Amino acid sequence: MISPRAARAALVLLFLAAVSIGLTATLAPRSFYEDFPFFASWVELLPPYNEHLVTDVGGLYLGFALLFAWAARTLDRGLVRPLCAAWLATATIHLAFHAGHLAGFSTADAIGELASLALLLAPPLVAWWAVGERREPASR
């Protein structure tokens, strides 16, 4: 393992992001739609509201949060790497969608949204690197 501290920090950051989104979307889907993020209300710029969709997305984020917590605790390379790959795939698709749907956003909100989504691509790369390569035992 190259850097357990860096891996754990990246995984905890991803846990916090996923759990905060997941809990809000699951427990208060209307509020998530109308107010998220709580300083800009970006989600409601992409209508229409669909409670089922919002709560399903919340559940998926909570599933990621559970796995990030588990990975941060164990630092098991066999969990960290595929989990980070799955998050990168999801987050990249999410970023690409939003990059193509900025109508109605102010310039500041468009930059803020895209920057916040792009920043969520860095922690899984850090965790991936930090758990290191599998080393074969030295032959005798």
Side-chain angles (χ1 to χ4, degrees):
M1 179 137 342
I2 294 170
S3 177
R5 181 174 286 155
R8 199 164 269 124
L11 293 164
V12 167
L13 178 65
L14 289 166
F15 164 79
L16 292 172
V19 80
S20 65
I21 293 165
L23 283 175
T24 307
T26 301
L27 300 176
R30 177 58 87 170
S31 178
F32 179 84
Y33 178 79
E34 293 175 352
D35 302 324
F36 190 85
F38 302 107
F39 58 88
S41 303
W42 294 335
V43 178
E44 73 177 348
L45 293 173
L46 299 168
Y49 173 70
N50 182 318
E51 182 177 2
H52 176 215
L53 179 60
V54 173
T55 56
D56 282 359
V57 168
L60 292 171
Y61 271 91
L62 289 176
F64 266 114
L66 172 72
L67 290 172
F68 283 129
W70 189 347
R73 184 173 187 283
T74 65
L75 295 182
D76 179 346
R77 184 181 179 276
L79 172 61
V80 172
R81 290 261 173 113
L83 174 58
C84 289
W87 179 268
L88 282 168
T90 301
T92 300
I93 292 166
H94 192 194
L95 173 60
F97 174 85
H98 284 281
H101 295 85
L102 294 171
F105 282 73
S106 69
T107 300
D109 281 338
I111 292 169
E113 180 183 54
L114 295 180
S116 65
L117 293 173
L119 285 173
L120 287 176
L121 297 175
L125 295 172
V126 170
W128 183 288
W129 164 81
V131 295
E133 294 297 324
R134 180 172 291 145
R135 290 188 171 71
E136 298 299 322
S139 56
R140 294 180 193 206

